Amino acid sequence: MDDFVQYGVALSAAQRAVRRAPWIESGRVAGSGQILPLPPEGEDLELGYQLAPWAWGRGLAVEAGHALAHYAFSNGEEEIFAVLRPKNERGSRAARRIGMEWVGETDKYYDLRLQIFRLRKGDLDSSVLRPGPVER
């Protein structure tokens, strides 16, 4: 798990996502993404991302999250989680587009009541990121 707590992992995935976007010419940082152990015991891994408001709605969270999930799974992890505040609709949509499924609510993490999304290794490539016949 210590391998995931590296700035290079999150930066690399976010840079790939942002580099392809036309608004990077502005020189502004769009956001960050990371995989970190969830408190309190650090047994579960959290996929997290934060974006500047100007970068919302452009698919960056989904692209960076998908890249980070691939990294976690290619390094031996079997599942990762996203924890979101109940009213975070944008975050919920991004988690689902990454391929995560809603599994319920808990107050296990961060002493807050949070929505939990999970992605298992075998479910990643069956996510909605795969283009359907109409999108090809």
Side-chain angles (χ1 to χ4, degrees):
M1 190 174 316
D2 291 335
D3 291 340
F4 293 107
V5 187
Q6 297 178 10
Y7 295 112
V9 174
L11 185 58
S12 174
Q15 281 178 331
R16 281 196 306 274
V18 172
R19 196 175 296 132
R20 288 193 284 269
W23 55 89
I24 193 61
E25 294 173 10
S26 70
R28 295 184 290 179
V29 174
S32 66
Q34 59 278 333
I35 297 175
L36 297 170
L38 276 163
E41 285 88 28
E43 295 173 3
D44 298 326
L45 287 179
E46 176 183 14
L47 168 66
Y49 37 83
Q50 303 80 33
L51 289 176
W54 66 267
W56 294 352
R58 300 175 188 224
L60 293 178
V62 174
E63 189 170 348
H66 195 252
L68 288 166
H70 270 286
Y71 178 85
F73 296 144
S74 68
N75 282 279
E77 295 301 324
E78 294 297 318
E79 64 183 6
I80 56 176
F81 296 89
V83 295
L84 304 163
R85 292 179 187 261
K87 294 183 179 183
N88 184 349
E89 292 299 322
R90 284 184 183 273
S92 296
R93 282 193 305 271
R96 286 186 171 94
R97 287 192 58 218
I98 292 166
M100 302 183 106
E101 71 173 322
W102 182 82
V103 293
E105 289 187 358
T106 187
D107 55 6
K108 176 181 175 182
Y109 310 115
Y110 303 112
D111 294 322
L112 297 169
R113 189 82 181 151
L114 298 168
Q115 302 287 314
I116 306 298
F117 289 82
R118 175 182 58 214
L119 181 61
R120 291 185 172 141
K121 184 176 183 175
D123 295 333
L124 178 61
D125 290 326
S126 64
S127 77
V128 294
L129 286 177
R130 280 189 160 181
V134 175
E135 297 167 302
R136 289 188 186 141

